[in-house]
Amino acid sequence: MKFSRFGLLIRVNDLPVCRSFYRDMLHLGDPVLDSAFTVEFALPGQMILRLEQNHSPSLEHASSAASWILECEEPQKLFDELANAGYNVEMREEARDSGYYFRGEDPEGNFFYVTRP
């Protein structure tokens, strides 16, 4: 079996706010697909990150078992940018790989982790 691409789907209530966060704060660049209901960012390795508009009142992000990892060359710089903009970020020690990472939340409480490649 061969798959042509891999992606991550995040359902959000406020698509414009989340579009700006992922584009500007996480530096994912302009979306490759941008509509009133769906925004899709191209990531390295033929991967995509898709945000979908969802108006469900029961959508709870912080209690979700799913999260995702972003590797970047300067995680401390990104941590500082997010913290200075008022986003919830927390530095954590890790016994493997790069030695540390941080956990952040998007504007709706979806967790992500940032570490070095």
Side-chain angles (χ1 to χ4, degrees):
M1 184 176 308
K2 183 177 179 181
F3 298 98
S4 59
R5 88 181 172 161
F6 179 80
L8 173 66
L9 170 65
I10 301 174
R11 291 187 175 91
V12 299
N13 289 312
D14 193 334
L15 187 61
V17 167
C18 290
R19 175 191 298 116
S20 295
F21 177 82
Y22 284 88
R23 182 190 62 217
D24 302 332
M25 295 306 301
L26 294 185
H27 304 283
L28 297 185
D30 290 327
V32 295
L33 172 68
D34 196 352
S35 74
F37 306 103
T38 301
V39 175
E40 191 172 289
F41 295 95
L43 302 177
Q46 296 293 91
M47 186 173 165
I48 57 135
L49 186 147
R50 177 179 289 167
L51 304 175
E52 272 188 10
Q53 181 77 49
N54 183 3
H55 295 292
S56 172
S58 63
L59 189 59
E60 287 188 43
H61 302 289
S63 64
S64 173
S67 55
W68 62 286
I69 299 169
L70 172 66
E71 292 182 344
C72 74
E73 295 294 328
E74 299 179 88
Q76 184 66 52
K77 182 178 177 183
L78 182 56
F79 176 90
D80 293 341
E81 288 177 10
L82 292 166
N84 290 337
Y87 290 100
N88 188 16
V89 288
E90 176 184 337
M91 192 62 70
R92 296 177 172 216
E93 290 295 323
E94 185 175 69
R96 59 183 168 81
D97 298 332
S98 66
Y100 73 95
Y101 64 95
F102 74 83
R103 183 177 82 173
E105 295 179 28
D106 73 8
E108 295 194 1
N110 293 300
F111 290 119
F112 59 91
Y113 296 87
V114 178
T115 188
R116 289 188 184 281

